[in-house]
Amino acid sequence: MIRPEQMDRRFVEEILAEPGGEHLLTCWSCGTCAATCLVRRFNPAFNPRLILHKAGLGLREAVLSSAEIWACSACDACYPRCPQGIHISDVMRAIRNLAIRAGYEAPGPAAQVDAATCSGCAVCTRACPYAAIERKPQMVNGQERTIAWVDRNLCQACGICVAACPSGAMSLEAMNDAELLTRVAAGGWLEQPGFLQGASDAPRLLAFVCQWSIRAEEEWERLQGLNDEHLRVVILPCSGRVEPAHVLLALSKGVDGVLVMGCHEGECHYQRGTYLGRGKVALLNEMMAAVGLAPQRVRFAESSALERRAFERQVAALREAIAALRPAEISEVRG
Amino acid sequence: MKRITIDPITRLEGHGKITLFLDDRGDVANAYFQVPEFRGFESFCEGRPVEEMPRITQRICGVCPMAHHMASAKAGDAVYGVEPPPTAKKIRELAYTAFVCGDHATHFYVLAGPDFFVGPEADPAQRNILGLIHKVGLQIGRRVLQHLAESHEVISLLGGRFVHPVMALPGGVAKAVSPEMQARLIEIGEHFVEFGLFSLQLWKEAVLGDEAFREMIFSSAYYQRTHNIALVDAQNRLNFYDGQVRVVDAEGRPVAKYPPSEYREHIAERVEPWTYVKFPYLKRFGWRGLVDGMESGVYRSTPLGRLNASEGMATPRAQEAYEEFFAYMGGKPVHATLATHWARLVEMLYCAERMLELARDPEITDPNIRTIPTETPREGIGVVEAPRGLLTHHYITDERGLLKKVNLIVGTTNNHAAICMAIKSAAQALIGGGREINQGLLDRVEMAFRAFDPCFACATHALPGEMNLDVEVFDAKGKRVAYLRRAGDQAE
Amino acid sequence: MSKINLAAYWASSCGGCDIAIVELGEHLLELAQVADIVFWPAATDFKYADVEAMADGFIDLTLFNGAIRTEEDAHIAHLLRQKSKVLIAFGSCAMEGCIPGLSNLVGPERALRRASIETPSTDNPTGVLPQAQYEMPEGTLSLPRLCGVLHTLEEVVPVDFKIPGCPPNHDQVWKALQAYLAGDLPTNRLLGVDPRTVCDQCPRVREGKIRVKRFQRPHEVIADPERCFLEQGLVCAGPATHAGCGALCVKANMPCRGCYGPPESVADQGAALLDALVASFDGQSDAEVRQIVETIVDPIGTFYRFSLAHSFLQKARALTSWGDDPCASQAATEGETL
């Protein structure tokens, strides 16, 4: 039960005064946002309606100390559906700013910079959808160098910077290159020859799947169950995390095809990841064609949490496309 | 037949082997020179952007990267129909002449020098740059190393680094010359001229002053009567950076002068199945096999060929050296292969003076060094005199400036037939008659090709794939087995 | 103290790595105090027969430059491995194939056909190409065959150390030689490098957070000499290239193209550069992203300019063979790790 002394009107006023928080009190608590929220599907503790409601009641301590206020990734799926037109991610941001000033910190995980390896090339600063990374002078092993610094309060753990970093200086818990590769290769899956080499009865596919492009929890489990000798599914935080090196490594080991599943245009949970995923696949396709590999073996497919069985359909389509490759296309000698 | 192989040949750029077949009397029945390397630049340059070609084609040769870089940049200018600003051209020519200064010195001292300063009879373990420095003393040795270092410095100042510099792109150069740089370039230019004069003096004292070497130079073992070509200016003076191609026949008569873009009218190539390098020859004379003389299309594009095919040098001290050379050697044209080393030093002096001239030019510090291309790219030919011979880059691109076809005729390739013949003639003259075949004798055979300063990485990049040419193919008995005529492809 | 025996060899090479050794200049005189050069075809007169006559391990240190393009290259690689205590892959060709590695885009047969005359309008049933064995009246002449693909040195023999660069910077070569002479050798087997990437040595200003709507080519624009190339929309391989050169090309106002190979712990340089470029795309739709991709001309020749022969892309292609490879490898190194 909430007691009156817990309700601090000044907290409400601080939020209203903070840029982004102006419309807090127009919220009806209808729950449409909570019903839409993609984060909530995977993290039921996160409830945007509840956070706004508690904030509106002035429950300073409860709101600022919660881990959940950091979980909103500003994908803005809720924004167009809010009947009051509240830009909810802006309100979240306002609340977070108050939390930072009060000495709270995002619980993480956040991307981490290996200071000894980082050259300060600034690629990550351009990659981050949240402008959470900057170049800052720091002391590293007794020498001052200007290298990347991640603001953990802004980091959404999308992993886009980990893929972008060309020197391996960026890492993210559970989503490092080594960890992803372990999942790809587990059980010797990469050591088996493929269909295009005449050694398997059906094309062997590797699928990198953006966690937001599929439906809810049950889909996750179902997908894991689809793993077999012809299919390996690896979940990514975002299709923008896909590593071209992993795709090429798989092809070099005889994997017949690679599917990269990401969100529809305009629906990327991290604002721009789906565009980066597409860009990478487009360039991979161009290079594959240049070297004489059939570019249709690597494909970007889009899907969303509202679609049923999109993954199976995409896998079947890619299998069909590869099975149809004529020998001339498999080993195209140029000229 | 008894077979002697010299494998690999040494103190040159690139791979090669010489196979001598001796008959029962121990005389050389035949000598074959083969180049066993091949990388295939022309095929994999297709699809590359034309502005990257100076940086890509220079990897054909790390001894003369500047030559490819420059020819490629000029071809890129032509592809876009863009004219670099005057200062950019001067910077290019300055860098280029400085490069030739260094490259010619590298050849004379590091590659060929040991033959003269250490000697063919010396222990092979000593016949190299370290042995040379030991022989001539540290003072001269350090002077040589300093000259090389300064030539490296000029290229590094203007193009970032000496091997595989990055200075040129279509429409100009990337880096301007500041007043501080100019002062240093003038200083180095003055050193270059002194070094050029010093090297000529050294040649006269140590080589011409040695009776045995004098004899070698004038000997028939190292003599070939071939035609000559050179890139010359309007007054028929040798120019390394730009000009027209002049052909002077084996008897010294000028027979043609054409713009480099017309090379296909004048040069054709022969295919042989026992080496990776082809044999260009002058079409007007035709191919008669590996023979010299007026009837044969074989020509030389070497310092000797260039001095023969030009009518003078455009700078004063070099002009004096040019006149002295011909006076001593008995008039034009000179066919003594070993005299090429001397001709190389005359060229080095010219390049030194020209480089200094350009460094002193007040326009050299003008900051306007780029013209942005505006035309649609199509086709272009760029030519320079590489240290080892005339270098032609011919590009055909699509409308985005990506290469569709690449044709290259590279310095040493021009001289391939002459090199084969020089080796055979030296082998046949020096070996046989019961003489003991020792390593010194074999080195004297190698000296025949060394005069050409060959670069076989260059010669084996690959040869033109699509140019308009006539090719005749003969079997080993001299019977013609095929005649190929290919119509060149043009851009639409 | 006795002198070490030093050798330098060029396989399929441009000679630039040998010139890098000549560029040591006065250091060559110092080197001569501690080393005898026992084989170096560019500059000395020792022949293959001299090497064959050496005892195994007679050569203390061999600097091997050039890629393995022909049977002869492979043969000499094995010979020098046998005769050398320490074998160094010297320069980009030996380490990762360098620019000649791009010939793996076309294969040896097409390259040879291209280099000889492409079939003209007249018919030429024999299609003359250079032959491995050819009969002359006096005897047989032989040429080494081309390998099925261009190989790196490590693909045919075990390699002890590597010195990257096209060519290695002569200052770095001297440092590497000194490290060897002092016995001060790194566990990661890379000599002649500085830590991190070219960006670490690049003097240009990086503001950060600047994205690119379209890439431009170096001749299309006069770039600001003080600012990062990538932030001006010009492709630069610096972020994906090992430091060691001192960012010489960038200081000469041209973008880096990656000749020092990938950063440490990065297996595929082209993939790393691709990642870095895509990260800076400023596209908010599929169409916009594709438009930006269009402005990157020749991705394969740009991302893999120096490293194609050593890339996963190459290995994927090699699964479909070019035919018999006369240089079939006997590499001791196992597999690829990231």
Side-chain angles (χ1 to χ4, degrees):
Chain A
M1 175 147 169
I2 301 170
R3 277 190 261 288
E5 46 283 12
Q6 288 169 284
M7 297 163 66
D8 181 348
R9 178 70 198 178
R10 270 172 319 167
F11 181 52
V12 179
E13 278 158 18
E14 280 166 34
I15 296 175
L16 294 174
E18 185 71 22
E22 303 86 356
H23 300 118
L24 173 67
L25 294 180
T26 62
C27 170
W28 287 345
S29 230
C30 68
T32 307
C33 57
T36 309
C37 180
L38 297 176
V39 177
R40 183 165 163 71
R41 284 157 202 273
F42 298 96
N43 179 7
F46 179 66
N47 187 330
R49 178 193 71 77
L50 204 50
I51 291 171
L52 262 59
H53 198 95
K54 286 183 182 175
L57 291 176
L59 299 177
R60 180 192 298 271
E61 186 63 32
V63 171
L64 294 187
S65 68
S66 75
E68 286 71 45
I69 59 170
W70 305 99
C72 168
S73 70
C75 77
D76 287 352
C78 55
Y79 179 31
R81 293 180 174 84
C82 171
Q84 290 292 71
I86 300 172
H87 199 151
I88 296 168
S89 62
D90 277 355
V91 180
M92 292 291 178
R93 185 160 51 83
I95 294 172
R96 283 179 195 162
N97 286 339
L98 295 181
I100 290 167
R101 275 181 235 136
Y104 292 96
E105 239 189 15
Q112 304 221 312
V113 181
D114 176 352
T117 305
C118 175
S119 303
C121 70
V123 166
C124 54
T125 68
R126 300 164 205 144
C128 178
Y130 303 101
I133 312 179
E134 295 188 9
R135 291 174 74 244
K136 275 188 174 178
Q138 295 169 56
M139 286 305 284
V140 186
N141 295 334
Q143 196 196 353
E144 186 183 90
R145 294 196 296 113
T146 303
I147 59 173
W149 174 83
V150 178
D151 184 343
R152 55 180 297 118
N153 293 325
L154 296 176
C155 175
Q156 286 294 320
C158 64
I160 286 173
C161 62
V162 180
C165 175
S167 64
M170 195 67 87
S171 64
L172 178 65
E173 188 185 299
M175 283 296 165
N176 282 334
D177 279 347
E179 287 157 331
L180 288 176
L181 190 56
T182 304
R183 284 169 220 154
V184 171
W189 195 81
L190 283 181
E191 305 310 317
Q192 302 162 44
F195 169 80
L196 292 174
Q197 297 164 279
S200 169
D201 53 335
R204 303 185 73 238
L205 302 183
L206 170 61
F208 287 109
V209 181
C210 161
Q211 67 184 354
W212 305 104
S213 69
I214 52 175
R215 290 166 67 86
E217 268 168 39
E218 62 171 54
E219 196 90 344
W220 280 72
E221 284 164 25
R222 214 169 46 72
L223 287 187
Q224 296 310 319
L226 294 173
N227 277 300
D228 66 15
E229 60 177 294
H230 294 116
L231 180 66
R232 171 59 50 102
V233 183
V234 176
I235 305 290
L236 297 179
C238 177
S239 61
R241 173 70 190 91
V242 71
E243 278 285 7
H246 291 165
V247 175
L248 293 171
L249 173 63
L251 294 177
S252 77
K253 294 284 193 182
V255 171
D256 298 297
V258 180
L259 177 66
V260 179
M261 296 262 307
C263 296
H264 288 288
E265 293 183 66
E267 290 182 11
C268 177
H269 196 68
Y270 301 109
Q271 299 173 4
R272 62 194 298 260
T274 187
Y275 304 124
L276 303 187
R278 288 153 204 263
K280 293 185 215 193
V281 170
L283 282 166
L284 279 172
N285 288 154
E286 214 179 311
M287 295 199 302
M288 288 167 69
V291 88
L293 291 169
Q296 51 267 54
R297 291 170 62 187
V298 174
R299 170 187 293 202
F300 184 94
E302 38 177 41
S303 164
S304 81
L306 298 180
E307 292 178 49
R308 287 201 175 88
R309 307 276 156 149
F311 179 71
E312 278 88 328
R313 280 202 311 278
Q314 293 296 348
V315 165
L318 183 55
R319 279 231 165 90
E320 208 179 294
I322 290 173
L325 285 175
R326 296 194 313 272
E329 283 165 329
I330 298 166
S331 59
E332 182 193 300
V333 177
R334 294 177 75 241
Chain B
M1 281 200 188
K2 181 168 174 208
R3 174 202 289 256
I4 298 180
T5 318
I6 303 175
D7 193 16
I9 56 177
T10 55
R11 285 188 286 120
L12 80 163
E13 196 298 320
H15 290 231
K17 68 176 174 178
I18 296 172
T19 306
L20 309 172
F21 289 105
L22 305 184
D23 63 22
D24 299 324
R25 289 198 319 265
D27 293 335
V28 174
N30 217 331
Y32 293 99
F33 171 66
Q34 294 173 279
V35 180
E37 62 170 318
F38 176 83
R39 286 168 300 156
F41 271 75
E42 280 171 358
S43 53
F44 66 72
C45 280
E46 289 173 17
R48 310 281 82 76
V50 71
E51 74 277 10
E52 298 293 323
M53 290 292 278
R55 298 172 80 170
I56 292 174
T57 58
Q58 66 189 6
R59 265 78 181 192
I60 289 173
C61 182
V63 181
C64 59
M66 198 50 147
H68 288 285
H69 193 71
M70 212 51 78
S72 181
K74 290 176 71 183
D77 294 339
V79 159
Y80 277 102
V82 68
E83 185 79 7
T87 297
K89 291 201 224 178
K90 290 181 181 183
I91 292 176
R92 286 182 182 180
E93 194 181 348
L94 191 161
Y96 195 63
T97 45
F99 156 69
V100 177
C101 259
D103 195 5
H104 273 357
T106 303
H107 181 262
F108 182 69
Y109 289 99
V110 180
L111 300 183
D115 289 324
F116 295 105
F117 297 105
V118 181
E121 307 311 325
D123 174 5
Q126 294 303 313
R127 207 167 42 226
N128 52 58
I129 178 65
L130 293 171
L132 182 152
I133 293 177
H134 188 73
K135 217 46 194 306
V136 302
L138 266 182
Q139 196 187 13
I140 295 182
R142 286 213 148 94
R143 201 171 169 179
V144 171
L145 292 175
Q146 195 203 342
H147 173 79
L148 296 183
E150 286 185 341
S151 72
H152 301 164
E153 187 184 335
V154 174
I155 307 305
S156 302
L157 270 177
L158 296 168
R161 54 193 182 151
F162 177 63
V163 181
H164 305 320
V166 296
M167 66 180 298
L169 52 172
V173 296
K175 190 169 173 193
V177 174
S178 68
E180 296 76 27
M181 278 165 71
Q182 182 186 29
R184 179 61 182 145
L185 292 170
I186 291 172
E187 196 181 355
I188 293 179
E190 285 164 356
H191 294 173
F192 278 3
V193 174
E194 281 163 25
F195 188 80
L197 292 165
F198 163 78
S199 299
L200 280 164
Q201 191 56 30
L202 190 61
W203 169 266
K204 283 183 243 178
E205 284 168 11
V207 180
L208 297 181
D210 178 315
E211 194 48 46
F213 282 134
R214 244 192 69 95
E215 218 183 281
M216 268 181 90
I217 289 167
F218 284 103
S219 118
S220 58
Y222 299 102
Y223 182 88
Q224 278 172 290
R225 284 178 65 241
T226 56
H227 310 298
N228 308 272
I229 69 171
L231 196 64
V232 298
D233 62 19
Q235 288 86 41
N236 292 333
R237 300 171 308 182
L238 178 59
N239 189 296
F240 277 81
Y241 182 72
D242 215 355
Q244 304 223 313
V245 182
R246 187 167 190 255
V247 182
V248 166
D249 70 18
E251 280 165 16
R253 286 183 297 261
V255 293
K257 186 170 175 182
Y258 60 88
S261 52
E262 288 174 17
Y263 70 94
R264 288 166 294 174
E265 318 290 320
H266 298 269
I267 311 276
E269 288 165 297
R270 179 184 161 83
V271 178
E272 285 289 345
W274 42 266
T275 184
Y276 282 117
V277 185
K278 310 303 179 292
F279 297 90
Y281 61 93
L282 287 163
K283 284 167 76 163
R284 68 189 311 113
F285 298 104
W287 177 261
R288 310 274 173 256
L290 289 170
V291 293
D292 66 351
M294 279 296 296
E295 309 296 307
S296 166
V298 174
Y299 62 93
R300 63 163 80 86
S301 175
T302 66
L304 185 60
R306 292 194 280 247
L307 261 54
N308 281 337
S310 62
E311 291 193 343
M313 310 299 275
T315 58
R317 317 289 289 265
Q319 176 62 23
E320 276 170 32
Y322 174 99
E323 287 166 14
E324 188 181 358
F325 171 80
F326 282 114
Y328 186 99
M329 293 303 301
K332 295 180 81 171
V334 171
H335 291 304
T337 301
L338 295 180
T340 314
H341 293 293
W342 188 356
R344 187 167 290 113
L345 296 177
V346 174
E347 289 189 337
M348 188 168 87
L349 181 57
Y350 159 69
C351 286
E353 290 183 282
R354 180 68 183 136
M355 182 253 174
L356 180 57
E357 219 170 63
L358 288 162
R360 284 178 173 151
D361 187 326
E363 253 191 31
I364 204 84
T365 50
D366 190 306
N368 180 21
I369 53 171
R370 295 273 305 282
T371 308
I372 305 292
T374 51
E375 304 292 315
T376 305
R378 275 170 44 99
E379 182 176 1
I381 297 174
V383 165
V384 295
E385 278 286 1
R388 296 158 182 90
L390 194 67
L391 173 60
T392 305
H393 279 222
H394 181 178
Y395 303 154
I396 296 175
T397 73
D398 67 14
E399 68 287 343
R400 299 179 73 198
L402 300 179
L403 272 294
K404 290 201 313 201
K405 292 196 180 80
V406 179
N407 291 350
L408 305 171
I409 303 189
V410 186
T412 293
T413 316
N414 292 290
N415 302 315
H416 187 211
I419 291 171
C420 288
M421 288 155 50
I423 288 171
K424 179 171 169 178
S425 129
Q428 288 184 318
L430 297 171
I431 294 178
R435 261 164 284 168
E436 187 212 340
I437 300 171
N438 56 28
Q439 62 80 27
L441 205 52
L442 294 178
D443 184 54
R444 284 170 196 273
V445 173
E446 287 196 68
M447 282 175 73
F449 76 70
R450 253 180 230 122
F452 289 85
D453 182 9
C455 179
F456 289 113
C458 278
T460 59
H461 63 291
L463 266 198
E466 304 275 319
M467 55 183 229
N468 184 10
L469 347 138
D470 303 322
V471 178
E472 296 176 287
V473 183
F474 293 83
D475 68 12
K477 293 182 174 52
K479 186 177 134 196
R480 192 173 91 169
V481 297
Y483 172 67
L484 314 173
R485 160 163 260 271
R486 188 188 56 224
D489 283 30
Q490 305 293 326
E492 301 92 41
Chain C
M1 195 173 93
S2 66
K3 290 186 176 182
I4 61 157
N5 291 328
L6 179 66
Y9 182 70
W10 49 18
S12 277
S13 152
C14 74
C17 285
D18 301 88
I19 294 293
I21 299 174
V22 172
E23 264 189 283
L24 290 174
E26 290 248 356
H27 288 309
L28 279 174
L29 302 176
E30 287 172 59
L31 188 61
Q33 302 295 316
V34 297
D36 279 327
I37 299 178
V38 298
F39 182 60
W40 187 15
T44 67
D45 281 353
F46 302 103
K47 310 292 182 188
Y48 291 140
D50 297 314
V51 180
E52 280 155 12
M54 293 173 185
D56 287 2
F58 173 76
I59 307 174
D60 291 288
L61 178 65
T62 292
L63 306 175
F64 189 111
N65 77 68
I68 309 298
R69 173 79 270 185
T70 69
E71 288 178 290
E72 180 174 294
D73 298 332
H75 171 67
I76 303 298
H78 284 289
L79 181 65
L80 285 170
R81 173 70 275 186
Q82 193 189 341
K83 307 293 183 185
S84 309
K85 291 202 184 71
V86 174
L87 180 65
I88 292 189
F90 188 91
S92 179
C93 282
M95 230 181 81
E96 47 179 0
C98 195
I99 284 178
L102 292 175
S103 67
N104 289 345
L105 291 172
V106 293
E109 206 199 291
R110 179 174 149 89
L112 270 174
R113 280 210 314 275
R114 198 99 181 108
S116 321
I117 313 303
E118 293 277 24
T119 307
S121 45
T122 21
D123 92 358
N124 174 23
T126 55
V128 179
L129 288 177
Q131 310 280 314
Q133 303 277 318
Y134 195 79
E135 283 305 315
M136 298 303 246
E138 300 84 6
T140 313
L141 292 182
S142 61
L143 278 180
R145 288 175 297 170
L146 301 187
C147 301
V149 278
L150 183 143
H151 293 287
T152 67
L153 181 61
E154 196 165 39
E155 285 173 11
V156 297
V157 293
V159 164
D160 299 299
F161 295 95
K162 304 178 191 183
I163 300 180
C166 175
N169 184 299
H170 59 97
D171 288 333
Q172 292 287 10
V173 174
W174 185 236
K175 265 174 56 186
L177 286 172
Q178 290 186 298
Y180 167 81
L181 291 167
D184 182 17
L185 295 164
T187 42
N188 69 356
R189 306 193 306 136
L190 263 188
L191 288 169
V193 291
D194 295 319
R196 295 177 287 274
T197 68
V198 172
C199 297
D200 200 62
Q201 303 186 306
C202 170
R204 292 179 175 232
V205 170
R206 271 151 269 161
E207 289 170 44
K209 303 186 185 175
I210 293 181
R211 294 188 185 137
V212 172
K213 277 211 163 308
R214 56 183 285 265
F215 288 94
Q216 292 181 286
R217 291 154 71 175
H219 63 292
E220 292 176 341
V221 60
I222 298 179
D224 182 337
E226 313 287 321
R227 289 183 62 213
C228 170
F229 280 112
L230 277 170
E231 293 191 352
Q232 298 182 72
L234 287 155
V235 175
C236 176
T241 304
H242 211 301
C245 57
L248 295 174
C249 298
V250 172
K251 289 173 183 165
N253 293 337
M254 289 290 271
C256 168
R257 287 290 179 251
C259 81
Y260 255 70
E264 197 155 336
S265 83
V266 171
D268 187 307
Q269 186 179 26
L273 183 53
L274 192 167
D275 258 324
L277 286 188
V278 171
S280 64
F281 279 14
D282 188 9
Q284 284 301 306
S285 72
D286 191 272
E288 279 180 23
V289 164
R290 281 175 205 285
Q291 264 173 8
I292 300 174
V293 166
E294 279 287 297
T295 63
I296 300 177
V297 292
D298 185 26
I300 196 163
T302 304
F303 300 149
Y304 287 104
R305 178 79 53 90
F306 294 90
S307 61
L308 182 66
H310 191 59
S311 65
F312 294 142
L313 186 61
Q314 162 69 41
K315 289 183 175 54
R317 183 62 183 88
L319 286 181
T320 318
S321 73
W322 288 112
D324 289 326
D325 186 352
C327 313
S329 79
Q330 297 166 31
T333 50
E334 268 293 317
E336 274 299 337
T337 51
L338 282 186

